[in-house]
Amino acid sequence: MSDLDVVYISGLRLMAFHVVGSLDGYREIKEKGSMNLQAVLSEETTLKKLLERAGVTFDMPNKL
């Protein structure tokens, strides 16, 4: 059992900021333009897909 298995996350609050970077040669930025963090985590973006593959998801409308 790892430390992450015993972390109580239902009361967890996360504060984040977004720095522009590229994992795809700036293709997504060229196609969609610069987006704020809420948009990046809500739309089908490279970062959102990468986080989902790692088991990290966000419910932006419900702030979860």
Side-chain angles (χ1 to χ4, degrees), residues 3-43:
D3 291 339
L4 292 177
D5 293 327
V6 295
V7 173
Y8 179 69
I9 64 169
S10 70
L12 182 68
R13 290 184 152 306
L14 178 67
M15 182 174 164
F17 64 94
H18 180 220
V19 176
V20 175
S22 175
L23 299 170
D24 61 2
Y26 296 97
R27 179 190 54 79
E28 191 167 279
I29 294 170
K30 290 174 185 174
E31 290 176 4
K32 298 182 178 185
S34 181
M35 296 184 284
N36 65 36
L37 183 58
Q38 184 173 353
V40 170
L41 297 175
S42 297
E43 297 181 21

